Amino acid sequence: MSNLRDFREDFPILNQEVHGRKIIYLDSAATSQRPQQVLDAVMKYDHEANGNPHRGSHALSMRATEAFESVREKVRSFIGARSTKEIIFTKNATEAINLVAYSYALEHLKPGDQIVITIAEHHANLVTWQQVAKKTGAHLVYMYVDPEGRLPLGELQKIDQKTKLVACTHMSNVLGSIFPVDKVIQRGHEVGAKVLIDGAQAVAHMPVDVAELDCDFYVFSGHKMFSLTGVGVLYGKEEILEKMEPFLYGGDMIEYVYEEETSFNELPFKFEAGTQGIESVVSLGAAIDYLHEVTFEVIHEKEMELTEYALRRLQELPYIRIVGPKDLNLRGAVISFVVEDVHPHDVSMILDNYGVGVRAGHHCAQPLLRFMEVYTCSRASFAFFNTKEEIDALVDNLNEVRRWMGYGSK
Ligand SMILES: Cc1ncc(COP(=O)(O)O)c(C=O)c1O
């Protein structure tokens, strides 16, 4: 690792101060920052190729089509899908989950069926299925985590013959735990259910191969993997997508339109109604190039080094409780914690005074936090550009938080 370049230099936003202190960004799990390479790609597109893809035969429209569709191929290869027909651009992971809910689940589920999810789901992958269950009469069944935030394999027995759909996070945005999605998918398929994996917290941190996983659907957002906001991806197996009805109607998703009838475009365009966020898609392509350049090997090594260090340093503080597994092998670079007797919003506001940005609140996972009897907590999440010095600043300033709130650091 010693001869690695300083990745911080790739991120212009980190080169500034907040409240007179150098910014320390520990909130990459909420949204990641963009490297110059991604910003340059968007600027280049706007300078050279902006037009409406798929709609014109003039030079700029064709360049826009080429830019847009080349990213589809990059995404396909990035996640190991078999065909670009299986890659649908959405606004974000949330919209991708909703697409499956509306176009697949609402059409296929009926009273008495079962949807199985984990208690650790982000609201995007929980409220959606709760509402599908209400609308279809299906039962929503939860698989629960153990006190350390791991999914016991025994919980997989809840996926039974009545189960038609399973939705599971690849990595929890609160606990940091990496879930045994291969076993979840295998169990889902044993009973004939379709399985959706929420990869929002995974794709920027580990290589993902959807063909090898054999999941039916896989979703993620660009803005958690160094692209702009406004782009997400739904991967779906071609044979399933082929049979699904469109989600949104309008331009580009059609083949022929008559006064009374419409035939729909082929995959993947059938699911991409209207003009897409083309700059965002372009930025996603550049973000994938960037991740390849940095390499998952380096990302994993850096993130694990930081996570191991942060877990150790945080546990030196007697007033800190970690919410999630302490075993490095089971987790990614997201650490949620409770500061005894201090509300997380106070924690994050006081840390902000020292330039340290962490997330506070329920992290869009209220049922999980209620189940863990935590209700609200703070979260630090790391990217490969963070440093041990920044973790020291977090830990040292947590002592300041306690002092500000009138407690000693013990
Ligand atoms: C695990 C997980 N799933 C889904 C989402 C939703 O992502 P988005 O808001 O980009 O749709 C998030 C966002 O934090 C997440 O962490």
Side-chain angles (χ1 to χ4, degrees):
M1 299 287 292
S2 54
N3 55 1
L4 281 181
R5 64 185 167 83
D6 181 1
F7 293 113
R8 291 180 68 83
E9 287 170 5
D10 293 342
F11 294 83
I13 201 167
L14 300 177
N15 199 16
Q16 64 173 310
E17 296 187 341
V18 286
H19 309 301
R21 312 237 179 183
K22 194 141 184 59
I23 195 166
I24 297 180
Y25 189 70
L26 302 182
D27 201 16
S28 290
T31 211
S32 50
Q33 298 301 347
R34 287 111 205 194
Q36 189 64 48
Q37 290 85 332
V38 167
L39 301 174
D40 287 347
V42 175
M43 191 59 89
K44 184 171 160 58
Y45 169 80
D46 274 331
H47 281 173
E48 296 173 8
N50 181 41
N52 207 321
H54 310 137
R55 283 171 171 79
S57 45
H58 60 78
L60 291 184
S61 176
M62 287 193 291
R63 279 183 210 162
T65 307
E66 161 59 23
F68 188 79
E69 290 305 321
S70 69
V71 178
R72 202 187 302 278
E73 168 53 27
K74 273 183 195 168
V75 174
R76 183 207 65 72
S77 148
F78 181 63
I79 60 168
R82 293 195 172 88
S83 159
T84 49
K85 291 182 177 178
E86 302 182 312
I87 306 298
I88 318 283
F89 290 121
T90 61
K91 193 167 71 204
N92 48 35
T94 303
E95 188 179 84
I97 296 169
N98 274 270
L99 194 161
V100 177
Y102 277 87
S103 296
Y104 180 81
L106 287 179
E107 299 292 325
H108 286 81
L109 271 69
K110 52 182 191 325
D113 287 345
Q114 209 166 259
I115 302 171
V116 180
I117 67 175
T118 81
I119 192 67
E121 300 310 315
H122 184 281
H123 293 161
N125 204 26
L126 188 153
V127 180
T128 315
W129 304 118
Q130 185 188 70
Q131 296 305 309
V132 167
K134 279 188 198 303
K135 286 188 172 138
T136 58
H139 295 296
L140 181 63
V141 174
Y142 288 89
M143 299 189 282
Y144 292 96
V145 293
D146 69 12
E148 279 267 298
R150 298 165 299 203
L151 184 67
L153 292 181
E155 287 294 288
L156 269 52
Q157 292 314 311
K158 291 179 176 169
I159 303 173
D160 66 11
Q161 300 297 333
K162 296 192 288 305
T163 308
K164 295 292 177 299
L165 196 129
V166 182
C168 177
T169 189
H170 202 157
M171 179 177 134
S172 163
N173 63 312
V174 179
L175 305 164
S177 351
I178 296 170
F179 279 58
V181 289
D182 50 343
K183 303 219 165 42
V184 172
I185 295 162
Q186 197 186 355
R187 178 68 193 149
H189 289 169
E190 272 166 25
V191 300
K194 299 284 182 269
V195 184
L196 177 145
I197 303 298
D198 175 359
Q201 293 295 342
V203 281
H205 306 279
M206 59 184 91
V208 169
D209 188 321
V210 290
E212 194 183 311
L213 279 174
D214 196 30
C215 51
D216 300 291
F217 302 105
Y218 194 96
V219 304
F220 56 96
S221 282
H223 71 95
K224 294 183 196 289
M225 53 176 287
F226 307 107
S227 90
L228 303 187
T229 52
V231 59
V233 171
L234 166 66
Y235 157 81
K237 280 185 181 160
E238 186 178 342
E239 62 271 24
I240 304 174
L241 292 175
E242 205 63 79
K243 292 195 197 112
M244 282 162 52
E245 287 293 307
F247 172 44
L248 299 169
Y249 299 101
D252 224 25
M253 52 76 66
I254 54 89
E255 181 190 32
Y256 295 110
V257 180
Y258 303 93
E259 285 192 25
E260 309 296 342
E261 286 301 330
T262 295
S263 59
F264 301 123
N265 207 338
E266 59 185 9
L267 286 176
F269 313 110
K270 174 171 92 168
F271 291 108
E272 292 174 2
T275 304
Q276 305 296 302
I278 303 153
E279 285 88 349
S280 301
V281 169
V282 167
S283 78
L284 178 63
I288 290 173
D289 291 343
Y290 182 73
L291 284 167
H292 283 317
E293 189 212 319
V294 179
T295 74
F296 277 117
E297 212 183 340
V298 168
I299 290 172
H300 181 74
E301 195 172 335
K302 276 283 280 175
E303 290 183 351
M304 285 303 99
E305 191 181 305
L306 293 167
T307 307
E308 193 265 332
Y309 185 67
L311 281 170
R312 179 151 49 83
R313 291 251 29 222
L314 283 169
Q315 287 178 100
E316 284 164 14
L317 305 179
Y319 51 82
I320 293 283
R321 173 183 158 204
I322 307 280
V323 186
K326 288 158 203 99
D327 180 349
L328 207 58
N329 296 317
L330 305 173
R331 58 152 42 257
V334 167
I335 304 182
S336 292
F337 55 93
V338 175
V339 181
E340 208 174 286
D341 300 322
V342 187
H343 194 279
H345 281 124
D346 290 328
V347 173
S348 105
M349 280 175 62
I350 298 170
L351 285 177
D352 186 55
N353 271 280
Y354 295 98
V356 182
V358 298
R359 175 90 187 262
H362 53 63
H363 311 289
C364 298
Q366 289 178 13
L368 171 67
L369 291 192
R370 221 173 274 127
F371 176 73
M372 301 295 284
E373 295 181 355
V374 171
Y375 308 103
T376 172
C377 60
S378 307
R379 182 185 74 185
S381 52
F382 314 118
F384 54 88
F385 57 69
N386 289 121
T387 61
K388 286 187 176 170
E389 290 71 35
E390 290 179 321
I391 290 167
D392 288 336
L394 166 71
V395 172
D396 294 346
N397 288 312
L398 281 170
N399 282 328
E400 289 302 300
V401 169
R402 287 273 296 183
R403 203 179 50 74
W404 273 47
M405 299 307 290
Y407 301 100
S409 56
K410 299 276 174 260

